[in-house]
Amino acid sequence: MISKKTKYALKALIYLAREYDRGPILIADLAREERIPKKFLELILLALKNAGVLQSKKGKGGGYYLAQSPREISMGKVIRTLEGPLAPVPCVSETAYARCEECDDEWSCGIRLVMKEVRDAMAQILDNATLADVLERIEQEKQKKDGVLFYAI
Amino acid sequence: MISKKTKYALKALIYLAREYDRGPILIADLAREERIPKKFLELILLALKNAGVLQSKKGKGGGYYLAQSPREISMGKVIRTLEGPLAPVPCVSETAYARCEECDDEWSCGIRLVMKEVRDAMAQILDNATLADVLERIEQEKQKKDGVLFYAI
DNA sequence: CATTAAGACTACTAAATCGATAGGCTAAAA
DNA sequence: TTTTAGCCTATCGATTTAGTAGTCTTAATG
């Protein structure tokens, strides 16, 4: 299960993607709209900024905005920033490989073989799901729902 | 990342699968062979027993053994027992659905749509990877390695 | 240039989880 | 009835999670 922190981050980024190219958004507005504790959100946005996902402007008229277009920011990047590597075991991580302490023969570790498949499948999905994709899919779902509503009436 | 508990469980089960139909195995032997803290392993095996994965015999000549054949025990089952649902968010879990507290419109939640894909991909892999499969794959890898060694000499 | 708006940074805390240990209880053989 | 081996509960220290508080810094602007 992903943490609340990561969920908050994704919500905030989807919000910022929707408002893309409308200038900086205030933390306070984001917090209110998405119902995220403001001070907590501050820390999250800061982490995303340090990871190069967001940029910010201080002082009056300041706020946060995406560092790249919504097409270029993937859920994989966001989750890795806040949650750490996608891999279920460190020995199959592409971005943060580490040996599993007590595995004496990594190359014939059965757990590793299966977990490598899992990490590849996750990365495949999450690294290809950009904020723009997510926005699109939300719209599609809303239209589907309207369709159902149409028939229901 | 999966917990040590789950890794220990998988190691123990792979060991028991290899010794399948050779009668009960002592916790102490398992602990020594797989280098798992004995008392900790006790709790893990007990949990697996309560989940129906293992059976046990008390007293002299006792120990633990698989409740089903290695063909019928999947890594998905084991991970769900010790780690909880595979799903990254509760609202996409098939085995333990729960609403995400602060999601007002689940059906047009973008996070949910992507996470559903992730959970399905994970379940596909982990529910189809049985202990028997894992044993087979370990053997395959060992032979591959021997092949390389053959050419290297 | 003083004020004010807004993010940046550090520290702290309560509660939960993780990894592990301790010790007594119960069941089954011999 | 003694020994063997699993069953069960409690406890513990370290880490992580979710969140709060307060101060510092930077940038507009009147």
Side-chain angles (χ1 to χ4, degrees), chain A residues 24-39:
Chain A
I25 306 287
L26 295 182
I27 297 181
D29 290 350
L30 250 171
R32 189 176 3 85
E33 292 297 312
E34 298 293 339
R35 303 203 305 299
I36 302 170
K38 191 191 155 196
K39 274 297 197 177

Side-chain angles (χ1 to χ4, degrees), chain A residues 59-130:
Chain A
K60 197 162 194 176
Y64 273 98
Y65 50 97
L66 299 184
Q68 301 163 278
S69 101
R71 292 240 146 270
E72 297 172 287
I73 300 173
S74 71
M75 290 190 57
K77 171 79 181 181
V78 178
I79 292 174
R80 280 196 196 87
T81 298
L82 290 147
E83 206 85 351
L86 299 183
V89 285
C91 67
V92 299
S93 173
E94 298 278 325
T95 60
Y97 168 84
R99 211 171 157 287
C100 287
E101 300 156 15
E102 55 235 331
C103 187
D104 18 60
D105 185 7
E106 192 167 285
W107 295 105
S108 65
C109 171
I111 301 173
R112 191 182 145 275
L113 293 169
V114 178
M115 290 309 175
K116 173 100 179 92
E117 275 186 61
V118 171
R119 110 88 235 184
D120 288 346
M122 292 177 71
Q124 162 67 27
I125 294 164
L126 293 172
D127 288 333
N128 284 306
T130 67

